[in-house]
Amino acid sequence: MELRELAELGVAIGAEEAERLGSMTDMILEWNKVINVTAIRDRQEFIDKNVIDSLLLADLPEFQAADRILDMGTGGGFPGLPLACVFPDKQFVLVDAVGKKLRVVSDTAEKLGLSNVTVVHARAEDLGRDKAYREAFPLVTSRAVANMSTLCEYCLPFVKKGGYFAAFKTEDSADEIAGASRALSILGGETERTVPDGIEGSGHIFVVVKKTGNCPQKYPRKAGLPSKEPL
Ligand code: SAH
């Protein structure tokens, strides 16, 4: 799929945004020769699996309503960076525990002149206790970072009460999603719905969780525990 075909997916993208996404693609692929941020080296495959896949989040009303979005475990900038290219009026906080990948993200954001991107080098478990970030976001998202239960402990502490967490998951994640129900209720979340993304063959769905309560102070637990001993 070409970037200009995105409009057909319901993602409103003008020529300027498509060009910015194209430049972003070139910059990341160039960086990728030096620092491994993605296994995908082919440009078209990169556009399909990283750029367009990321932009599918924009279909959710929860995304459209949010002015500030945190992307946990952004790696080489997905889904946060493509979204920031297309939605300059929304603020994006891109978090990852690995600093070298974030160098690629911040360098790319800077070269593209994106003033709506903030990059934070931290582990979810530590940043989730920081008052400046805790329960401060109307929407938190995450792609390919951890199983749903662990992911809820990484992400729900950042969501404002009444806000949402939207996880990129695969179509075969039903057991994983069901297995996170305890984690959800402990952390103040409630599964709203799962949303097929509408792209044939992409295999991705969104799991949308609403933050209906507050997250107890003891969560997130100390670094490593959410993945070692999922709730
Ligand atoms: N979201 C990106 C990257 C997925 S790879 C994409 O879809 O392409 C998973 C990323 O999550 C890695 O970059 C890893 O450093 C990060 N990560 C894993 N556990 C984390 C944690 N506890 N806190 C912050 N980042 C974490």
Coordinates of all heavy atoms in Angstrom, one line a residue, residues 50 72-76 78-79 95-98 101 122-125 143-145 154, ligand 1:
N50 N 4.8 -1.0 9.8 CA 5.1 -0.1 10.9 C 4.3 1.2 10.8 O 3.7 1.6 11.7 CB 6.6 0.3 11.0 CG 7.4 -0.9 11.5 OD1 6.9 -1.7 12.3 ND2 8.7 -0.9 11.2
M72 N 4.0 3.5 25.4 CA 4.9 2.7 26.2 C 5.6 1.7 25.4 O 5.0 0.9 24.8 CB 4.1 2.1 27.4 CG 4.9 1.3 28.3 SD 6.4 2.1 28.9 CE 5.8 3.4 29.9
G73 N 7.0 1.7 25.5 CA 7.8 0.7 24.8 C 7.8 1.0 23.3 O 7.6 0.2 22.5
T74 N 8.0 2.3 23.0 CA 7.9 2.8 21.6 C 9.0 2.2 20.7 O 8.8 2.2 19.5 CB 7.9 4.3 21.6 OG1 7.6 4.8 20.3 CG2 9.3 4.9 22.0
G75 N 10.1 1.7 21.2 CA 11.2 1.2 20.4 C 11.7 2.2 19.4 O 12.2 3.3 19.8
G76 N 11.6 1.9 18.1 CA 12.0 2.8 17.1 C 10.9 3.8 16.8 O 11.0 4.5 15.8
F78 N 7.2 3.3 17.4 CA 5.9 2.8 17.0 C 5.0 2.4 18.1 O 5.4 1.6 19.0 CB 6.1 1.7 16.0 CG 7.0 2.1 14.9 CD1 8.3 1.7 14.9 CD2 6.5 2.9 13.9 CE1 9.2 2.1 13.9 CE2 7.4 3.3 12.9 CZ 8.7 2.9 12.9
P79 N 3.7 2.9 18.1 CA 3.1 3.7 17.1 C 3.2 5.2 17.1 O 2.7 5.9 16.3 CB 1.6 3.3 17.3 CG 1.5 3.2 18.8 CD 2.8 2.5 19.2
V95 N 8.0 6.5 25.3 CA 8.8 6.0 26.4 C 9.5 4.7 26.0 O 8.8 3.8 25.4 CB 7.9 5.8 27.7 CG1 8.8 5.3 28.9 CG2 7.2 7.0 28.1
D96 N 10.7 4.5 26.4 CA 11.3 3.2 26.2 C 12.5 3.1 27.2 O 13.1 4.0 27.6 CB 11.9 3.0 24.8 CG 11.9 1.5 24.5 OD1 12.9 0.8 24.9 OD2 11.0 1.0 23.8
A97 N 12.8 1.8 27.6 CA 13.8 1.5 28.5 C 15.2 1.5 27.9 O 16.2 1.5 28.5 CB 13.6 0.2 29.2
V98 N 15.2 1.4 26.5 CA 16.5 1.3 25.8 C 16.8 2.6 25.1 O 16.2 3.1 24.2 CB 16.4 0.2 24.8 CG1 17.7 0.1 23.9 CG2 16.2 -1.2 25.5
K101 N 17.7 3.2 21.1 CA 16.5 3.3 20.1 C 15.9 4.7 20.2 O 15.5 5.2 19.2 CB 15.4 2.2 20.5 CG 15.9 0.8 20.2 CD 14.7 -0.1 20.4 CE 15.1 -1.6 20.3 NZ 13.9 -2.5 20.5
A122 N 13.1 5.6 30.2 CA 12.7 5.1 31.5 C 12.0 3.8 31.4 O 11.5 3.4 30.3 CB 11.8 6.1 32.2
R123 N 12.1 3.0 32.5 CA 11.3 1.8 32.5 C 9.9 2.2 33.0 O 9.7 3.1 33.8 CB 11.9 0.8 33.5 CG 13.1 0.2 33.0 CD 13.5 -1.0 34.0 NE 12.6 -2.1 33.8 CZ 13.0 -3.4 33.7 NH1 14.3 -3.7 33.6 NH2 12.1 -4.3 33.6
A124 N 8.9 1.5 32.5 CA 7.5 1.7 32.8 C 7.3 1.7 34.3 O 6.6 2.6 34.9 CB 6.6 0.7 32.2
E125 N 8.0 0.7 35.0 CA 7.8 0.5 36.4 C 8.3 1.7 37.2 O 7.8 2.0 38.3 CB 8.5 -0.7 36.9 CG 8.1 -2.0 36.2 CD 9.0 -2.4 35.0 OE1 9.2 -1.5 34.2 OE2 9.4 -3.5 34.9
R143 N 2.5 -1.1 21.6 CA 2.5 -2.2 20.6 C 3.7 -3.1 20.8 O 4.8 -2.7 20.9 CB 2.6 -1.6 19.2 CG 2.3 -2.5 18.0 CD 2.5 -1.9 16.7 NE 3.9 -1.9 16.3 CZ 4.3 -1.9 15.0 NH1 3.4 -1.8 14.0 NH2 5.6 -1.8 14.7
A144 N 3.4 -4.4 20.8 CA 4.4 -5.5 20.8 C 5.4 -5.3 22.0 O 6.6 -5.4 21.8 CB 5.2 -5.5 19.5
V145 N 4.9 -5.1 23.2 CA 5.8 -4.9 24.3 C 5.7 -6.1 25.4 O 6.8 -6.5 25.8 CB 5.5 -3.6 25.0 CG1 6.3 -3.4 26.3 CG2 5.9 -2.4 24.1
Y154 N 2.2 -2.0 33.3 CA 3.1 -1.0 32.7 C 2.3 0.3 32.4 O 2.8 1.4 32.5 CB 3.7 -1.5 31.4 CG 4.8 -2.5 31.5 CD1 5.2 -3.2 30.3 CD2 5.4 -2.9 32.7 CE1 6.2 -4.2 30.4 CE2 6.4 -3.8 32.7 CZ 6.8 -4.5 31.6 OH 7.8 -5.4 31.6
Ligands
SAH1 N1 6.5 -0.6 20.1 C1 7.6 -0.8 19.2 C2 8.7 -1.6 19.8 C3 8.3 -3.0 20.3 S1 9.7 -3.9 20.9 C4 7.1 -1.5 17.9 O1 5.9 -2.0 17.9 O2 7.8 -1.6 17.0 C5 9.4 -3.7 22.7 C6 10.0 -2.5 23.3 O3 9.5 -2.4 24.6 C7 11.5 -2.5 23.4 O4 12.1 -1.4 22.8 C8 11.8 -2.5 24.9 O5 12.9 -1.8 25.2 C9 10.5 -1.9 25.4 N2 10.2 -2.3 26.8 C10 10.0 -3.6 27.3 N3 9.8 -3.6 28.6 C11 9.8 -2.3 29.0 C12 9.6 -1.6 30.2 N4 9.3 -2.3 31.3 N5 9.6 -0.3 30.3 C13 9.9 0.5 29.2 N6 10.1 -0.1 27.9 C14 10.0 -1.5 27.9

